[in-house]
Amino acid sequence: MNPDISRIISFWFDRPPMEWIVAPEGLDAELKAQFSDLVGKARANELDDWATSADGSLALVVLLDQFSQNIYRDSPDAFTADEKAWETATRAIAQGLDKAVTVIQASAFYMPLMQKESLISVIAARGLFETLKARCESEEEHKWVGLGAMAAGGHTEQLLKFGRYPTRNKLLGRMNTEAEEKYLKDHIVKRVAEMKRNME
């Protein structure tokens, strides 16, 4: 295996997946120090040949989705690789590559589908997480995959109600509606707390 692919997979999947959602202190800086060069290459289409294998596709999706969003946190650039992450993940899923990796790794292919402000994409992600439940063996896998399905349901609700994700509005220069302001105040902190509890 390409050593960079191996390094990405080891770094990301040797940690509790809840850290993908609630980053521990210092993670963003560590990702920037170790992987910013590879993130840049992935975003510039220089690593597209990785997509010929399951592991390569997985590493590429992680670079474009999770690593990009962490490294560029609190910046509009956090979302500029989302479309490429979505395309890479979708092609991998279409080829069945998500079935060639572990349950937790498969879930990483589904997360870019939830990032897209598209009902059909989020509905697909929810279905994939529901199907993935049949492969779960450990308690951690059951909890994580259940959380993924629940999160997809929450994303669906946001898109049905607002047509977009209000949490992105500020960074993307979009004005919140009154309903979105209320949603952000009432639900976001509660949802993070729920996710933490579900992974305990």
Side-chain angles (χ1 to χ4, degrees), residues 113-166:
L113 277 66
M114 286 202 294
Q115 304 285 2
K116 194 174 182 67
E117 291 180 322
S118 160
L119 269 174
I120 191 64
S121 183
V122 177
I123 290 168
R126 188 174 187 176
L128 288 163
F129 273 110
E130 291 290 351
T131 301
L132 190 59
K133 289 179 179 179
R135 288 180 55 193
C136 294
E137 296 180 357
S138 69
E139 183 178 356
E140 180 192 38
E141 288 174 348
H142 279 286
K143 285 184 176 181
W144 177 249
V145 172
L147 180 60
M150 182 184 75
H155 281 62
T156 301
E157 291 174 8
Q158 288 185 59
L159 291 177
L160 283 171
K161 190 169 185 178
F162 306 114
R164 59 187 186 178
Y165 298 137

Side-chain angles (χ1 to χ4, degrees), residues 12-20 140:
W12 202 235
F13 295 100
D14 286 349
R15 67 181 59 249
M18 193 61 207
E19 293 187 4
W20 306 356
E140 180 192 38

Side-chain angles (χ1 to χ4, degrees), residues 71 183 186 190 195:
I71 288 174
Y183 174 83
D186 292 348
K190 179 181 176 183
M195 288 192 296

Side-chain angles (χ1 to χ4, degrees), residues 23-124:
E25 186 176 353
L27 178 60
D28 292 356
E30 189 174 3
L31 285 170
K32 187 172 184 178
Q34 293 196 38
F35 298 105
S36 60
D37 58 332
L38 290 172
V39 168
K41 289 180 179 180
R43 291 162 68 102
N45 306 321
E46 295 177 16
L47 303 178
D48 287 357
D49 59 323
W50 287 12
T52 57
S53 69
D55 287 335
S57 293
L58 180 64
L60 189 55
V61 166
V62 168
L63 287 174
L64 293 166
D65 181 38
Q66 298 294 320
F67 286 14
S68 284
Q69 291 197 10
N70 284 40
I71 288 174
Y72 296 105
R73 191 186 301 278
D74 298 327
S75 160
D77 283 339
F79 307 111
T80 52
D82 281 6
E83 189 64 25
K84 185 170 178 60
W86 181 86
E87 291 173 359
T88 305
T90 300
R91 290 185 66 84
I93 294 163
Q95 296 174 76
L97 300 183
D98 55 320
K99 297 177 176 64
V101 296
T102 70
V103 167
I104 302 296
Q105 290 171 347
S107 74
F109 280 125
Y110 307 155
M111 293 180 73
L113 277 66
M114 286 202 294
Q115 304 285 2
K116 194 174 182 67
E117 291 180 322
S118 160
L119 269 174
I120 191 64
S121 183
V122 177
I123 290 168

